[in-house]
Every structure is written in structure tokens, then in C-alpha cells.
Amino acid sequence: MLAEGIVADRDFPPFARATRDGYAVRAEDVADVPARLEVVGEVKAGDWPERGVRLVGSGQAMAIMTGAPVPADADAVVMVEHTSPIRESVGKLVEVRRGVSAGENFVPRGAEARAGQLLLDRGRRLDHAGIAIAASVGKSRVQVFRKPRVAVLSTGDEVVEIGATPGPAQIRNSNSYSLAAQVQNAGGEAVRLAIAPDERGRLRTLIEEGLECDLLLLTGGVSMGKYDLVEQVLGELKAEFYFTGADIQPGRPVVFGSCGADTSAHVDSEIAAGTRARAPAPHKKCFFGLPGNPVSTMVTFELFARPIIEALAGMTPQRLIFLRARLKSEIRTKTGLKRFLPAVLSGEFEDAEVELAQWQGSGDIAALARANCYVVIPPDRERIEAGEWVSLLMRSG
Ligand code: AMP
Ligand code: MG
């Protein structure tokens, strides 16, 4: 995430840049076509036509290549496709078969940006387009914000590390790895902690360890079961809960809150200014308790955790992007919750269509891997017909 604005060091383009191969001409000379012009030379990319010298006079043309500077006394470029060379005894002529208007087929100097103009804002993710800009203004080093460290803590007596051979009732810990990937994709640095059993003491120790990072993501243990201890342990740590539960499916039990003294304003400004490598404890740290079902974990991360990681990473807050597509086959569901159902978007351009992935519920990671987006169903809809437009949350990364 950029911690400084990137400014144009010179005009963009720095010279009137031809966008076609052809001939630099004066438009008035080709107002009546066909027109014959005397070819007085050639300018290719990298050449700099001498200033002050009259290069393209009335009735003249200069051969020019894409990316080359247009001589100052020409005001348009005719495409080579609309010309034919004519060889005669004296000099070289070209016949122009189609006229051009002044300003055609070149970009005037400074038309894309003026020297000194802000091209990239601070707080913007340095993506490939941003990198192109940094490179083109000669910024080989840019100031970026420190990535927030995001602790990932999976909980559950049945959850075992992926290197272990699971017992008959055990499952491998997939959440810590999917979350770490999502954290990275959102601009954070994931710190995977050990798996916490459904036991108060150990869970508390690991939560405290996680709160040393900039943000803590817990998975599992936030439902209503007897061994869902996450909220209780956070309560013991004097957590403040901003919400416990959301009217969504999957992901209903998601909780969000913070622990520690409120010095957030001060901390925010220091983090934003990138002045501190590591925050001293104690101060307020946010956490999410995400439900353990893998699909719920992934959806609630996208909806709630990603925006906070982006903010902690110094990014100017962005809204989630929802696209719309036509539904391929009817959906029936229950009312009451906003649903985010794994789906497959296919087709292209105006023929894009979306269809629900066959799934067995929030634990079905195989279905999620087949899907590439989520269909968003409003809480008041029981049935959505084939052909209706539906809203999609795209799966990132
Ligand atoms: P919980 O939210 O703890 O009630 O867990 C809900 C479901 O998610 C259970 O079937 C768990 O076995 C499963 N689950 C919980 N944690 C993980 C994890 N780290 N990786 C994969 N599945 C998990
Ligand atoms: Mg559990």
C-alpha cells in the first residue's frame, strides 16, 4: 500500500506521440483526396526531430512510426494503410487516399498528465498498473506502509495439523491455511498460531498471543455449542464486542470486537504514518471470531475482515464490489437471512450467466473450490426465477 503519492516527473507523453505508423502531415493538405505529398524524411521511435527547423511544410509529409515524436509543424498523422508510395524521377511522393482532421492519430504532449500532477494517491494498493506508473516516473523505490500482522488462530478439539494422520473423528486444519492466503491477498502478513483446543486455559494463552499482532482472526468456537468457548474467553479478557452475529448465511455466528486499552486514535496515526515497526502493548486490538465451517470462514473473511486488513494496511477504504449476472436456473431458499451461495459464473460479455454450485452446506470446500463467486440473495426472497438478474460477490485471489 502506497505511503506516498506518485507525481508525474514530466509531461505524459513527454512529446506529441504518434499512435500509428504513417505520415505526419498538415491536415489542410489532405482535405481533398487523393492528395500527393512530397516525403521529406522519416522519424522513428527514439528520434528527436530537430527543433526550430521547418520539417513538414505545406504539401509535404514525413514518414513516422508509432511512438515517434510528431514534428511541431505537422498536425495529424495519416495511417500508412490509407497511403501508397509513388516513385517518380524527382524525390519521393506519397498518395494519401483518406483525409484526417487536425489532432488525429497522435497524443499531444501532456495530454495524459502534466508534470507535477498526482498520478497515484497515497493509500492505494500498488498493483501492476501502479507499478507501471512508478516505473515510468523513475521511482525505483517507493514508500509503502508496513503490512499489518494478522494472527490466525483455529480452534476445535477435532482439528489437527495437516501433517498429522487424522483419527476417525478428526479433521485437518484447513482454515488456518485458507485464511493465511486470504490475509496475504488482502495486504496483510499472516501469523499462523498453534491450534487451540476447546479448553479455556490454552485458548486464552493463544488468544493473548494473537492479540500481540495488529489483528486477530479466530475460527471456530463462536456458535452456541457447549464447547464454543471463544466469546467467553474473550469476555474474560474484557473484550468489547461490536457485534455478535450477523443475519447472513453462511457465517451467522461471526463476532467482531476489540481487547485492550483504547489508544486506537494514537495508534492509528502512528501506523498510518508508518513510524513504528512494532506496536508496544497494551493497546486496543481488534479481533474477529469467524465460524469454523470453512465456507463460512471464507465468506465472513471477505465481508468483514478484508476491509479492516486493508484499512490497517493503510489503504483508503473501498466498498465491496458486487457485479450482476443473469441466473441460469431457479433458486429456492428460505427467507430471513441474506445468503451468499457459492456459484459458478460462466459465459462471456453480455452472455454471462451464473448458477449455484451443488453444495452440501457450509462445510463443503469441494463445492467452494468449483465455484468462482457467491450469489447474493436478499433476505426476503424465497424464490428467484431463471433469467432474473442477481447480485454477485466475486471471490478474490
Ligand atoms: P465450529 O464453528 O467450531 O462449531 O465448527 C464448525 C465446523 O467447522 C465443524 O464441523 C468443524 O469441524 C469445522 N472446523 C472448525 N475449525 C476448522 C478448521 N480449522 N479447519 C477445517 N474445518 C474446521
Ligand atoms: Mg468447534
Side-chain angles (χ1 to χ4, degrees):
M1 233 56 79
L2 273 178
E4 61 173 333
I6 305 273
V7 168
D9 64 328
R10 56 182 185 157
D11 286 346
F12 277 76
F15 49 82
R17 185 183 62 213
T19 55
R20 304 282 185 184
D21 296 316
Y23 292 87
V25 299
R26 295 157 167 248
E28 60 186 27
D29 288 349
V30 292
D32 292 320
V33 284
R36 285 186 172 202
L37 303 174
E38 180 196 355
V39 180
V40 292
E42 180 185 280
V43 48
K44 59 183 194 309
D47 285 349
W48 184 235
E50 249 180 274
R51 282 170 167 270
V53 181
R54 189 183 174 93
L55 291 168
V56 182
S58 176
Q60 295 182 327
M62 180 166 293
I64 193 164
M65 312 302 145
T66 300
V70 176
D73 36 17
D75 62 6
V77 172
V78 274
M79 289 163 65
V80 71
E81 291 87 333
H82 302 147
T83 66
S84 327
I86 295 170
R87 294 208 173 272
E88 290 204 339
S89 46
V90 271
K92 199 175 159 194
L93 296 180
V94 64
E95 184 173 83
V96 177
R97 294 188 305 275
R98 201 185 286 185
V100 279
S101 311
E104 255 185 87
N105 297 329
F106 75 92
V107 183
R109 174 178 175 157
E112 294 162 359
R114 287 285 179 196
Q117 194 177 324
L118 184 67
L119 297 176
L120 290 177
D121 276 326
R122 180 179 193 269
R124 177 198 154 116
R125 185 187 282 259
L126 194 57
D127 59 7
H128 62 279
I131 286 171
I133 290 200
S136 64
V137 303
K139 282 285 255 182
S140 54
R141 297 170 76 89
V142 293
Q143 235 182 35
V144 293
F145 290 112
R146 171 176 75 80
K147 287 184 176 183
R149 299 177 79 239
V150 180
V152 176
L153 174 53
S154 284
T155 73
D157 280 341
E158 78 284 26
V159 183
V160 296
E161 261 316 338
I162 58 174
T165 307
Q170 291 180 322
I171 51 136
R172 292 196 183 93
N173 173 17
S174 61
N175 285 347
S176 288
Y177 296 90
S178 59
L179 276 177
Q182 285 180 293
V183 165
Q184 254 179 349
N185 179 276
E189 185 189 317
V191 178
R192 277 184 293 104
L193 305 181
I195 297 165
D198 295 320
E199 183 267 308
R200 246 172 241 278
R202 179 75 179 136
L203 180 57
R204 180 174 171 145
T205 306
L206 285 165
I207 288 179
E208 284 174 325
E209 190 182 328
L211 289 169
E212 285 172 19
C213 286
D214 299 308
L215 177 70
L216 168 61
L217 302 180
L218 291 126
T219 87
V222 287
S223 308
M224 301 305 285
K226 186 173 164 196
Y227 299 99
D228 289 328
L229 303 172
V230 166
E231 275 182 75
Q232 290 176 33
V233 171
L234 285 164
E236 286 171 19
L237 293 168
K238 305 269 182 301
E240 182 183 352
F241 289 94
Y242 304 131
F243 63 75
T244 53
D247 289 340
I248 57 169
Q249 196 266 327
R252 192 174 195 177
V254 57
V255 304
F256 174 43
S258 68
C259 271
D262 188 2
T263 53
S264 56
H266 158 73
V267 169
D268 283 351
S269 65
E270 270 185 285
I271 289 176
T275 52
R276 210 179 37 211
R278 188 100 195 247
H283 59 65
K284 206 166 192 167
K285 296 287 180 60
C286 287
F287 61 79
F288 282 98
L290 308 176
N293 261 316
V295 181
S296 316
T297 312
M298 295 183 211
V299 170
T300 47
F301 177 92
E302 284 303 321
L303 293 175
F304 302 109
R306 169 182 290 276
I308 294 221
I309 293 174
E310 288 174 346
L312 286 169
M315 184 167 165
T316 309
Q318 308 282 313
R319 297 189 77 91
L320 289 172
I321 295 172
F322 292 92
L323 305 178
R324 286 174 81 74
R326 272 188 199 282
L327 194 62
K328 209 164 166 180
S329 33
E330 181 197 72
I331 297 178
R332 283 170 185 272
T333 176
K334 294 198 193 88
T335 56
L337 298 173
K338 185 178 243 183
R339 288 169 206 272
F340 296 83
L341 304 179
V344 182
L345 178 66
S346 59
E348 53 188 20
F349 304 118
E350 57 280 3
D351 297 325
E353 280 186 315
V354 67
E355 187 172 35
L356 290 191
Q358 293 301 321
W359 77 323
Q360 303 300 319
S362 321
D364 190 348
I365 40 178
L368 194 61
R370 286 192 297 271
N372 55 12
C373 64
Y374 303 96
V375 167
V376 187
I377 301 179
D380 57 345
R381 297 294 301 274
E382 225 167 9
R383 180 173 168 185
I384 303 185
E385 312 275 352
E388 271 194 58
W389 288 91
V390 288
S391 192
L392 306 182
L393 174 66
M394 295 312 291
R395 208 175 70 188
S396 51

